[in-house]
Amino acid sequence: MTLPAAQLTGISKRFNAVVANDGVDLVLRRGTVHAVMGENGAGKSTLMSILFGLLSPDAGQILIAGRPQVFTSPLDAIAAGLGMVHQHFKLFDSLSVAANVVYGAEPRRAGLFDRRAAEARVRELGERYGLQIDPRARVSSLSVGERQRVEILKALHRDATILILDEPTAVLTPGEVTTLFAVIRRAADAGTTVVLVTHKINEVLTVSDEVTVLRDGRVTGHFLTGETSSAQLVHAMTGREVRPVSNPGLGSPGATVLQVRDAGVVDAGITRVRSVSFAVRAGEIVGIAGVSGNGQHELVEAILGTRPTQSGTVELLGADVTRWTVRDRRLRGVAVIPEDRRGEGSAIGMSITENLALGHHRTAPIGAERGIRRGWISVRAARAEARALIAGYDVRTAGEQQSVGSLSGGNAQKVVIARELSHNAPLLIAEQPTQGVDVGAIEAIHGRLLDYRAGGGAILLVSHEISELLALADRILVMLDGALVAEFSRADATTAGIGAAMAGLAAQNLPNGSRP
Amino acid sequence: MHVFELSFVAAVLLAATPVLFASLAGAISAQVGVFNIALEGQMLWGAFAAVAASYYTGNPWAGVLAAVVSTAVFALVLAVGAARWKADPIVIAIGSNLFALGITGFLMGVLFDVSGSFSPRGLVGLPKMQWLHDVPVLGAVFGGQTALVPLALVLIVVVGLWLLFTPHGLRLRGVGEHPEAAASLGINVPGYQFWVTIAAGALCGFAGAQLSLGNVTVFTENMTAGRGWIAVAAVMLVAGRPLWLPLACLGFGAAEALGFRLQGVGAPQQLTDAAPYLITILVLVLTRIRIPRRTKASLTA
Amino acid sequence: MSDSRASWRAHPAARLVDAAARHPAVVPLAAVAVAVLIGGVIIAAAGLDPVTAYAAVLAGALDPDTLDYTFSVWGFICGMALVAAIPLRMGEFNLGGNGQLVLGGLAAALVAGQSGLPPLVAVPVALLAAAVLAGGFGALSAPLSTRFGIPIIISTLLLSPIAVAVVSYLVRFRIGEAGAAVAQTERFPEGARMWAIGDLSYTNVGLLVVIGLMVAFWLVDSRTAVGFELRVVGANRRFGAYGGVRVGRLAFGAMAASGAVAGVVGAIITLSSPYRLIDGALLSPGYTFAGLAAALLAGGRPALIPVTAILFTVLQVGGAAMERSADVPRQLSDVLQGVVIVVLALRTVIDSRRSGESGAR
């Protein structure tokens, strides 16, 4: 059978001025693993949303098994045999695995929901594709890797012949990635067509049969995996050879700025951070590696004070701030670039000036700490400050009174980074500072972090990009299931070593007291 | 005061029934993720529609029908606004409650040329289930009640079980918990929200009819007097488990029934009026204190 | 379809229309227009003449002979609009204005009823007592929300009838005038009445107090750190908490301030003619929800409140006149208030459709 499973021709989609897809062609051959590659913003997600019926294209045609299709909703796509595992899982936490898998296509008996049949179906699919999971478990009790299996089972339950996986490995440990790839192979061998959306070259080379590369909304390369190389893929993705990561010297650590001792965080009965201890000194970048969801974010929240600790202490510049409010900690000297820039790091309905002013509004020049102006705000000073930061950080905007929501993602992110860096706080916490940023901006941000360190700042860098940590951090701590399980100095840190620790395969150089 | 008399149970049930209907309306709205605080106004409209229709037709069941249908139509504002157009359900509800208060008073003046309250001769209330009188226990509890009283209890159980054991119930629960997830599986989320909000309106119609043709046979301006808010509190109390609603609402009914009895022995009406609210607030606070402790204990055990 | 719309948009005249449609005054004005229209339909459907009715409303509200009264009502509605607007700025609803209003009236009556206070002391002390009592009561909702997770909108609604019942009980049985047919306190002594302005019988210094409160709110909102934090939390609560705003404390302050303003309004009404606390009299005009409607119509913006309050004042004062002269029940005012609020809520639709066109990824 030579008819492709799916054929997309001339797909175009624009959002106002932004061209997300421009005449994209994609041919998915039956029973193959087809990687769709590209950097952030290259148009992969838009293309997949169109294929899955979440967006309708401005132009172009979709053929599924030779038949033209117009999807007005994912329902149409599902009916045509497509299934999609989104990057952010779409699961019902309070329901069981079986209920999640069959939701919307439930087996029935006498008009009632047939729970037994649903559970049997999950077991049967699990055995067929190597996706073992307890059908009765509540999703809220599952690990990230298990949740992903539920997502895949959902698609398989609906007899998907084309399975789209959107950045499936971003949330997995290396061990789980191996398992996933085995599942992918098994599904492809059974005749399912798998689309793997990713920007990681080694994954593409490991598991795919074919690769289509996107850049700026266009196809810039199509290869058979066996006939291509990583250099060729990089060139197609970026249009240039990527320079090797700059390797700046080590910092020169001074006095301790942050000292965390035995910190524990419990959220809704689940332990997120267990007995974590470490220190960050002035003039040092300490990295925290780990698959996302292993307690890094909760640890950051505990240091900033937006989340209470159940045990242990947090010391900032020698003072025990464990019971302090966020405001007092910030005044003492901590700034945070949060992971969720849009939801936590900004108010998109407010102006750039107002977004930049938060946290600076009680100190000169915008506010005043004492005297007759205490508690008052100078709007003029706030606007002047905003203009200076907009210029200094190259925020592209029509003016400082524009709303942050009107900015592009990258520029909105610069507003957050500008605000936090301009505190010149002794401690800077940067969570995934380069996530969702284009290559040029990554270099700029890395440069700023290194300057910050050179100026005597202490930086806690949380990232799930091992390469980023290797490029910047003086020391790297690995977090797994809420605990620090390994520490590497720059000298003996390797991708393999850190990856193994992230997966729980090795524990070395344990910092004192980080084990429960 | 004989709290454990069956007549007291009957009084509690009577007081609780309008709130039962309304809280079921609120609970199903909550299940699909619509914060429904329009219950108060919808119930008031239902009470008015029931009295008006019963008065014109001479048949109280026509009143019930009119209340249910017209309140479902009344709920269109919330259904279209919140489910279809994604407008703020709180603001819509505040507006529609005010509208209900105004329009019922307005129509009372225009149609019946009275203000304050309307209870003409010839206004027929709902019949009581006298035929139950000889049945032990049931007779004492339900014999003096309208058929809507047991209906409220039955509906809660049916809806509660339907949510748990049918495909549509499963889908409905998913819609409220994670609308994007439901939508990604082809579930028409606004559709569920729309029809559930309409159904909630119909339930508020029952609540109003029971209030104005069952509990009493009169319509008075603002006669719901905060029962819709008690229902909202009851919804919060059961936190997504509709089968527990009777417990929450009977607490309110008990407070009101007890109030009547206390008035009978000379307690001022103003203070007994406040009792249901005070009890509702206290119960909300008390349950909020206990829940975290319990979950903590069960998880660390 | 999207193509044709795009080309339509490119037309210069269409752009002008588009720009005009985005002016911030359009939405409130449209809401009012729609409400008036719907009200007209309702009046007509009831077999009455909308034009006569509305003319009666305007004539009643703007009658030069009673303009004094109209102004005093405008002051009360502005005050209650402030009560709604302060928490609205941080995204919270205070629907317990009635309870806070009567507690203010109670505190004022208790202070004013004490004979022997010198006139210059009695009124300020009464206002202060009202602010403290009602402010404290309003502030209760903040810990109920932060500690126990009971939304402020719910707790204010549940607490309000308790206060109303207690005050009603006290007026009827404890502090009321003995032997009176109506549950009311005795007339306050001359020295404990709201200071008059000239020989006006309704409008008095209380109006100036309310105007002062509005100016204060405007200053706090636009020029102070607290006002800024209030707006930040209203725009994105997580952002506020992350930025160091003490959200719980802010909610406490906002609810206390909101309740205090309600208390002051209650005190002003009570200390004005007829200089008694009368059971139910503070609530029957419905200032709380008229104020809420005015605040919503103003989008919580302090500078617009005096303007939007005019509309609801006209409805309130003119409604009674309409009932008298055009035989249209005064409850039409409530109907129109409700319609204005609903139309305002639905405006988000227009907004989101617009932003959906321009802001999608």
Side-chain angles (χ1 to χ4, degrees):
Chain A
M1 188 120 82
T2 53
L3 206 56
Q7 188 167 5
L8 283 74
T9 326
I11 301 290
S12 294
K13 178 76 185 177
R14 49 190 305 155
F15 300 107
N16 292 322
V18 182
V19 179
N21 281 170
D22 185 5
V24 174
D25 297 334
L26 181 67
V27 179
L28 304 174
R29 288 188 297 118
R30 197 171 300 254
T32 62
V33 179
H34 195 124
V36 175
M37 286 202 81
E39 293 193 296
N40 288 313
K44 300 169 299 203
S45 293
T46 303
L47 185 65
M48 289 305 120
S49 296
I50 288 170
L51 176 57
F52 194 58
L54 287 161
L55 293 172
S56 58
D58 298 337
Q61 195 187 29
I62 299 174
L63 298 177
I64 304 292
R67 218 174 280 154
Q69 300 274 4
V70 178
F71 297 150
T72 55
S73 81
L75 191 59
D76 298 341
I78 291 169
L82 282 109
M84 183 159 178
V85 176
H86 298 271
Q87 205 172 341
H88 300 287
F89 300 151
K90 302 192 172 183
L91 297 174
F92 308 107
D93 277 358
S94 73
L95 303 181
S96 70
V97 168
N100 267 279
V101 169
V102 303
Y103 185 94
E106 305 85 356
R108 299 172 190 220
R109 201 177 54 191
L112 298 181
F113 169 48
D114 190 343
R115 191 167 50 86
R116 289 225 182 106
E119 288 167 2
R121 173 77 171 156
V122 170
R123 285 201 196 90
E124 179 235 328
L125 287 170
E127 274 163 35
R128 201 193 309 165
Y129 294 97
L131 286 157
Q132 264 73 29
I133 194 159
D134 175 11
R136 292 188 179 185
R138 255 175 208 253
V139 164
S140 56
S141 70
L142 300 182
S143 72
V144 175
E146 288 170 316
R147 286 172 196 231
Q148 189 176 62
R149 279 182 226 168
V150 179
E151 285 284 3
I152 296 173
L153 284 167
K154 271 162 66 176
L156 295 175
H157 168 65
R158 287 165 174 74
D159 300 318
T161 55
I162 302 171
L163 182 62
I164 306 167
L165 304 173
D166 188 7
E167 303 276 2
T169 59
V171 295
L172 301 182
T173 63
E176 286 173 323
V177 170
T178 313
T179 317
L180 173 69
F181 285 175
V183 171
I184 289 177
R185 268 301 13 136
R186 208 154 151 178
D189 292 346
T192 309
T193 306
V194 181
V195 184
L196 180 68
V197 181
T198 183
H199 61 264
K200 295 181 185 167
I201 292 166
N202 57 346
E203 293 178 359
V204 172
L205 294 174
T206 310
V207 76
S208 74
D209 301 308
E210 269 183 69
V211 196
T212 297
V213 183
L214 293 180
R215 189 175 75 230
D216 298 332
R218 290 171 206 224
V219 174
T220 51
H222 173 250
F223 314 96
L224 294 177
T225 308
E227 299 169 5
T228 187
S229 66
S230 56
Q232 202 173 16
L233 292 176
V234 167
H235 186 80
M237 272 168 70
T238 62
R240 63 187 157 84
E241 309 299 332
V242 172
R243 285 186 296 139
V245 194
S246 57
N247 197 352
L250 290 168
S252 41
T256 299
V257 174
L258 172 72
Q259 175 77 56
V260 177
R261 291 185 217 273
D262 290 323
V265 174
V266 178
D267 176 34
I270 299 165
T271 303
R272 300 291 181 184
V273 175
R274 40 185 105 230
S275 196
V276 162
S277 302
F278 67 96
V280 185
R281 288 166 294 173
E284 170 180 59
I285 298 180
V286 173
I288 293 198
V291 174
S292 73
N294 271 290
Q296 303 96 315
H297 184 62
E298 287 80 2
L299 177 62
V300 170
E301 289 180 316
I303 297 171
L304 178 62
T306 45
R307 187 184 283 280
T309 46
Q310 257 64 32
S311 57
T313 57
V314 177
E315 287 168 30
L316 212 51
L317 296 168
D320 182 349
V321 301
T322 315
R323 300 276 160 245
W324 288 23
T325 61
V326 176
R327 180 164 138 195
D328 291 339
R329 295 186 202 207
R330 277 184 169 274
L331 287 175
R332 181 86 186 165
V334 55
V336 176
I337 300 168
E339 182 173 7
D340 184 357
R341 251 81 76 180
R342 199 176 161 87
E344 183 169 18
S346 51
I348 55 173
M350 296 184 96
S351 69
I352 297 171
T353 302
E354 289 170 313
N355 270 276
L356 286 170
L358 184 66
H360 297 277
H361 63 286
R362 285 183 184 273
T363 49
I366 298 173
E369 278 169 74
R370 55 183 62 84
I372 196 162
R373 289 220 321 123
R374 189 170 174 274
W376 293 77
I377 279 178
S378 163
V379 176
R380 188 184 301 177
R383 291 182 63 165
E385 289 288 299
R387 279 195 295 273
L389 287 174
I390 286 170
Y393 285 80
D394 190 27
V395 180
R396 308 278 167 82
T397 172
E400 74 274 12
Q401 296 302 93
Q402 297 287 308
S403 80
V404 166
S406 71
L407 298 178
S408 74
N411 280 303
Q413 187 146 331
K414 285 180 195 165
V415 170
V416 178
I417 290 172
R419 180 187 62 231
E420 295 304 311
L421 290 186
S422 64
H423 279 290
N424 286 317
L427 174 67
L428 173 71
I429 303 177
E431 271 187 282
Q432 320 296 349
T434 56
Q435 192 175 57
V437 173
D438 55 45
V439 176
I442 290 178
E443 281 174 26
I445 292 169
H446 283 178
R448 291 218 181 251
L449 293 179
L450 291 170
D451 289 349
Y452 205 88
R453 179 183 71 179
I459 299 181
L460 183 64
L461 173 65
V462 179
S463 176
H464 29 244
E465 298 294 340
I466 296 175
S467 60
E468 180 165 79
L469 295 167
L470 288 174
L472 298 175
D474 298 301
R475 290 186 293 135
I476 298 170
L477 308 171
V478 180
M479 208 163 172
L480 175 67
D481 197 20
L484 292 181
V485 293
E487 174 170 350
F488 298 86
S489 67
R490 166 79 71 77
D492 50 36
T494 61
T495 306
I498 295 172
M502 281 164 65
L505 298 176
Q508 58 175 55
N509 306 338
L510 272 179
N512 285 340
S514 68
R515 268 285 148 127
Chain B
M1 205 175 47
H2 306 282
V3 174
F4 297 104
E5 276 178 5
L6 286 177
S7 69
F8 183 73
V9 176
V12 167
L13 211 51
L14 181 71
T17 299
V19 183
L20 272 175
F21 278 116
S23 67
L24 182 59
I28 59 174
S29 307
Q31 290 279 329
V32 292
V34 173
F35 185 45
N36 190 342
I37 57 165
L39 308 174
E40 173 85 2
Q42 292 180 3
M43 211 194 312
L44 185 63
W45 171 258
F48 177 79
V51 163
S54 175
Y55 172 70
Y56 283 127
T57 63
N59 183 343
W61 293 108
V64 175
L65 184 71
V68 170
V69 172
S70 69
T71 312
V73 173
F74 190 93
L76 265 176
V77 181
L78 184 64
V80 171
R84 293 282 170 195
W85 293 353
K86 303 289 164 228
D88 185 348
I90 293 180
V91 181
I92 296 181
I94 290 173
S96 85
N97 286 338
L98 210 48
F99 178 84
L101 183 62
I103 199 75
T104 50
F106 176 81
L107 289 178
M108 200 158 53
V110 170
L111 297 179
F112 309 123
D113 208 20
V114 293
S115 66
S117 76
F118 179 62
S119 59
R121 265 182 301 145
L123 176 63
V124 189
L126 285 166
K128 314 284 191 255
M129 298 182 290
Q130 308 273 357
W131 46 272
L132 269 175
H133 253 309
D134 299 332
V135 185
V137 184
L138 277 186
V141 176
F142 290 108
Q145 316 272 26
T146 72
L148 295 186
V149 174
L151 178 70
L153 294 170
V154 169
L155 271 179
I156 286 179
V157 173
V158 168
V159 171
L161 295 177
W162 181 82
L163 283 171
L164 286 177
F165 295 111
T166 69
H168 282 289
L170 177 70
R171 292 177 189 187
L172 203 149
R173 285 186 288 149
V175 164
E177 177 169 343
H178 196 334
E180 294 91 45
S184 75
L185 294 168
I187 301 300
N188 180 359
V189 172
Y192 269 89
Q193 292 176 329
F194 180 89
W195 289 111
V196 165
T197 308
I198 296 289
L203 287 169
C204 286
F206 277 118
Q210 168 65 24
L211 193 62
S212 64
L213 293 178
N215 289 32
V216 289
T217 310
V218 59
F219 179 82
T220 54
E221 208 169 338
N222 194 22
M223 78 182 296
T224 44
R227 284 180 178 79
W229 301 109
I230 303 269
V232 172
V235 173
M236 283 188 59
L237 209 57
V238 300
R241 293 160 300 179
L243 286 171
W244 288 83
L245 282 174
L247 200 65
C249 296
L250 291 178
F252 161 78
E256 193 174 295
L258 200 63
F260 280 131
R261 299 224 161 176
L262 287 173
Q263 276 179 46
V265 296
Q269 179 218 341
Q270 285 76 17
L271 293 188
T272 57
D273 278 356
Y277 297 96
L278 200 59
I279 287 176
T280 306
I281 282 269
L282 286 178
V283 170
L284 275 177
V285 168
L286 289 175
T287 51
R288 300 291 148 139
I289 296 172
R290 280 189 54 206
I291 284 169
R293 257 190 220 155
R294 197 170 45 199
T295 53
K296 212 194 238 172
S298 67
L299 279 155
T300 48
Chain C
M1 186 197 98
S2 58
D3 284 346
S4 67
R5 194 190 291 167
S7 61
W8 183 85
R9 290 214 146 186
H11 195 275
R15 274 172 185 245
L16 206 65
V17 171
D18 207 46
R22 279 162 200 264
H23 191 274
V26 166
V27 168
L29 285 177
V32 171
V34 170
V36 167
L37 213 64
I38 292 178
V41 170
I42 291 173
I43 298 169
L48 301 160
D49 180 9
V51 178
T52 318
Y54 282 138
V57 168
L58 283 177
L62 306 179
D63 181 355
D65 294 340
T66 59
L67 219 48
D68 167 25
Y69 173 70
T70 305
F71 260 111
S72 72
V73 170
W74 176 76
F76 303 148
I77 291 181
C78 279
M80 293 315 283
L82 217 49
V83 171
I86 295 169
L88 205 55
R89 255 344 210 177
M90 68 176 294
E92 297 288 0
F93 287 90
N94 173 9
L95 298 189
N98 278 347
Q100 296 149 13
L101 195 64
V102 295
L103 283 181
L106 173 73
L110 289 176
V111 172
Q114 303 297 318
S115 51
L117 279 175
L120 269 176
V121 175
V123 171
V125 168
L127 291 186
L128 196 68
V132 170
L133 182 63
F137 189 69
L140 270 183
S141 290
L144 284 177
S145 160
T146 49
R147 287 262 175 125
F148 301 109
I150 306 170
I152 286 178
I153 184 172
I154 304 285
S155 66
T156 50
L157 263 162
L158 292 176
L159 284 169
S160 177
I162 300 175
V164 171
V166 167
V167 171
S168 173
Y169 166 78
L170 290 174
V171 172
R172 200 165 285 267
F173 297 109
R174 288 283 178 263
I175 59 171
E177 194 176 23
V182 187
Q184 59 184 22
T185 60
E186 288 180 26
R187 264 170 166 261
F188 306 132
E190 290 275 354
R193 296 178 186 175
M194 208 66 212
W195 304 324
I197 301 178
D199 56 357
L200 295 175
S201 42
Y202 292 100
T203 301
N204 52 34
V205 172
L207 181 68
L208 301 183
V209 172
V210 171
I211 291 174
L213 289 174
M214 283 199 291
V215 172
F217 178 49
W218 173 71
L219 277 175
V220 168
D221 184 74
S222 57
R223 301 288 159 83
T224 70
V226 169
F228 174 62
E229 292 177 356
L230 211 56
R231 287 184 288 124
V232 166
V233 171
N236 181 351
R237 185 161 295 232
R238 272 180 74 204
F239 177 52
Y242 146 90
V245 178
R246 288 169 288 196
V247 179
R249 199 186 274 211
L250 197 67
F252 188 88
M255 287 308 297
S258 171
V261 172
V264 167
V265 173
I268 291 172
I269 299 175
T270 305
L271 297 184
S272 300
S273 170
Y275 315 110
R276 310 168 181 271
L277 177 61
I278 306 167
D279 189 22
L282 284 168
L283 306 184
S284 53
Y287 294 135
T288 298
F289 281 88
L292 177 66
L296 284 172
L297 192 60
R301 284 186 289 265
L304 288 183
I305 284 176
V307 183
T308 56
I310 292 175
L311 173 75
F312 296 101
T313 306
V314 168
L315 282 178
Q316 191 80 47
V317 178
M322 170 183 74
E323 188 165 64
R324 266 181 274 115
S325 61
D327 208 21
V328 176
R330 70 191 144 67
Q331 284 91 344
L332 189 72
S333 317
D334 289 339
V335 173
L336 293 182
Q337 281 173 22
V339 174
V340 168
I341 294 175
V342 169
V343 173
L344 276 172
L346 298 185
R347 116 200 114 160
T348 42
V349 180
I350 307 159
D351 289 355
S352 67
R353 294 222 166 141
R354 275 183 195 156
S355 61
E357 277 170 21
S358 57
R361 269 194 274 187

